[in-house]
Every structure is written in C-alpha cells, then in structure tokens.
Amino acid sequence: MAGSVTTHEARLTHDGAEPLTAGSFEVAERELPPAVDGEILVEVRYASLDPSQRIRLRSEGAGFVPPAGVVGTVVESRSDAFEVGDTVTAPGAWATAVRVPAASAERYDSPEGVALHHAVGLLGLTGLTAYFGVRRVLRPRRGEKIVVTGAFGGVGQVAAQLIAASGADVLGVVGGPDKAHGLKRLGITAVDHRAPDWTAEVDRWAPEGLHAVFDNVWGETSARLVERLGPLGRVALCGQMSGIGEAVVPPLPLDNWFRLVTRSLTVQGFRAADFAAENADARRALADMIASGALDQEIHLAPGLAAAGPAFADLLTGHVVGKLVVAVRE
C-alpha cells in the first residue's frame, strides 16, 4: 500500500465573507493520506481559477482550500478505471496533489498540438460552458447581431468565437482597453463598457437592434443590452461577474420589464452540467476548431500556488486579462 504524500495547498487566511486581497491566501503543506478503494491520487499540473469560486468562498472560513478544476497525473490508483501515469481531469483544489473519487475523474488524451493547460480552459469547463451556451441555448443564425458580455473572460472568448464561426455578427463588451485589444487579436469587434458612450457604439453597430445576448455579467451593463433586443430576441444567461467581487447578485435595472412580453423575448439560464451527456462530442468539436486555427484562448498563467491568491484577487477586480490558470507544476 502506498504511503502518505505531502501536498501543498493555498488556504484562505480569514473569513470568506470579507473582501479578498492578495494577502487572503497562504500556502501550507500537509500529509495527504493514501487513496482508499474507489479513489485516485492526482499530482496536479494545472488548475482553473474561475469567478464562480468566489460564491463558495463567501460561506467558508480561515483554513479553507478553494475547489478548482484540475488536470494532472495519476500517482496512485485504487480503481480499475485508471492506472498510474494516466492524465486525468477532475474536480480538485488549489493544491499540488489531490485525492478524488475515481468516478468524478475523466481520462484526458491531449489532442496533438494542444497545450495541456487547455484541458482546464478551452477543453475544460469554460470551453464546454461556451459551447453549450452558444450551440444549445443561443443557437445563432447567419447575419444576426449578437453581443457577448464579459467577452474576454474564459467563457466569453470562446463564446464570441463560436458565434462568429456560425456566421452571425458578434460584438464583445469588455471592461478596459487591454481586454478590447485582446479580443480584437481574436478577430472580434469590441466595445469598452467603461467608456461613457459605449451604448451609442452598440447602437451604431446594430441600428435596428440586437438579435441575442450571451450574458456573463448581469447588472447594469446587461440591462442596457436587453433594452436593445428586437422582437423575438434571446438571452443566454451564463454568469454574473458584475457582483462577483462581493459574492452577491446585483439587480437587473431594466426600465420596463414588461418589454419581455411586448417583444416576445426569451431569457434562458443554463449550466454546462445540463448537457454533460454531450461532453465528449463537444470536446471533439472544440479540438477540431483548435486544430484548424478557428479557435483560440488567451491565457493568464499564474506561476505556482503562491501566485494563485493574488491572481484570483485581480480576477475579481477585473485586472486579469484572459482565462486564469495556475501552473501548479510546469
């Protein structure tokens, strides 16, 4: 039987309801007991840090280790489904090694030419969320005018490119010139919602109104776009970045909610888990687009666990440009 393994983990240093800063996490080590029947021990290579993790942290206290989607190598297996040396993706934590139920892990075969960190990005939860939100919920049509909010985040980047690939016209709403320039590097037109006349730019881009919105932010920005939807307009509700720093859901300040009726609008919330049975097909489709050069994702790579906390605090204040991934072990 294998012995215990020393793992390093990033722990919360105070009550999670308090504001998060660069000093809100510390790295400590502990002994991880051997895996038991039905479990695997995974040495983590990369971990995905996502805004939604802030919600969980709000109800936790000092010493809590945040969850994260991870990709890594099996170093001990007590399951017939995996062998030592297998590369897997799994729900893990901000840690160098994690014990997980084998049933929650998936073997990961990295497509040729695709960097491993994309396992927790383009081919992970963010990519799958964007894929299902676009292909199964929004269903863009050629020539439509569609706006993506939070368009340079992990999900937004992918959603904007998938919408463009469908033949629709896409406009990305971002917060700051760095993100606008980043989106343009991906071939997507961008508008900065921090500019005082950003809604006028949207009106010039779509003078007859919008057909659909892929929304990652909620709040004031989203309300101004919903007001610009034409008859039979659609909204795919994916996230609520506008209140994530405080872990609250802000109101949607529409001036007239009854327009949802008068314009026959469709508003649908969704989660990637709603379509989990289609994950394998979605990953193949995304991998094919990556291989063909039709899909990319700019990554903000935090170097090691010590950098995870400061990078996460920056993510919540809008200072991270691109999808945030921690390189736990390069």
Side-chain angles (χ1 to χ4, degrees):
M1 180 180 293
S4 62
V5 171
T6 299
T7 184
H8 294 83
E9 51 192 24
R11 299 174 180 170
L12 191 61
T13 60
H14 56 74
D15 191 290
E18 299 173 8
L20 298 183
T21 68
S24 294
F25 300 90
E26 63 181 3
V27 176
E29 68 175 47
R30 71 179 177 96
E31 292 302 303
L32 201 61
V36 300
D37 287 347
E39 287 187 335
I40 57 175
L41 181 63
V42 179
E43 188 175 81
V44 177
R45 295 282 305 280
Y46 295 96
S48 174
L49 270 58
D50 301 292
S52 59
Q53 293 164 355
R54 179 65 181 100
I55 304 297
R56 172 70 182 275
L57 288 172
R58 186 174 179 82
S59 61
E60 301 294 345
F64 179 70
V65 180
V70 304
V71 61
T73 305
V74 176
V75 294
E76 182 189 356
S77 177
R78 296 292 300 276
S79 166
D80 293 337
F82 298 101
E83 298 180 355
V84 171
D86 284 346
T87 299
V88 297
T89 57
W94 296 17
T96 57
V98 293
R99 278 173 53 190
V100 298
S104 70
E106 292 184 55
R107 183 175 286 102
Y108 181 78
D109 297 316
S110 186
E112 184 176 353
V114 178
L116 183 61
H117 60 68
H118 282 313
V120 292
L122 272 175
L123 299 179
L125 182 60
T126 55
L128 292 172
T129 299
Y131 181 88
F132 294 129
V134 171
R135 297 287 178 86
R136 297 291 180 266
V137 179
L138 208 62
R139 299 181 182 273
R141 296 182 279 271
R142 181 172 298 277
E144 288 189 322
K145 295 283 189 177
I146 299 178
V147 171
V148 178
T149 62
F152 205 61
V155 173
Q157 289 184 50
V158 185
Q161 293 174 84
L162 290 173
I163 292 168
S166 75
D169 294 330
V170 59
L171 177 69
V173 178
V174 297
D178 288 348
K179 296 177 183 179
H181 292 150
L183 203 58
K184 289 175 182 177
R185 287 194 294 273
L186 295 175
I188 305 297
T189 302
V191 59
D192 185 354
H193 72 80
R194 296 177 181 175
D197 63 343
W198 76 273
T199 54
E201 290 189 53
V202 174
D203 292 338
R204 286 191 291 272
W205 181 77
E208 296 181 8
L210 304 176
H211 293 94
V213 176
F214 189 109
D215 186 41
N216 293 298
V217 301
W218 198 249
E220 179 73 27
T221 299
S222 306
R224 301 291 77 78
L225 294 169
V226 170
E227 291 168 357
R228 286 165 167 76
L229 284 167
L232 300 177
R234 292 119 47 216
V235 182
L237 291 178
C238 180
Q240 50 104 12
M241 270 295 296
S242 61
I244 206 71
E246 297 76 32
V248 297
V249 179
L252 187 67
L254 287 177
D255 62 355
N256 182 1
W257 276 89
F258 199 64
R259 73 177 65 237
L260 273 66
V261 175
T262 59
R263 296 186 184 177
S264 302
L265 304 183
T266 299
V267 180
Q268 181 177 342
F270 74 96
R271 302 172 304 148
D274 299 336
F275 307 93
E278 302 177 46
N279 279 356
D281 290 341
R283 285 197 179 99
R284 280 192 291 271
L286 291 167
D288 288 345
M289 291 185 69
I290 297 169
S292 71
L295 183 64
D296 198 3
Q297 186 180 53
E298 293 209 16
I299 298 293
H300 180 108
L301 207 59
L305 277 182
F312 189 67
D314 284 343
L315 176 67
L316 299 180
T317 55
H319 293 102
V320 166
V321 178
K323 165 73 184 110
L324 179 55
V325 174
V326 178
V328 179
R329 302 173 190 266
E330 283 280 33

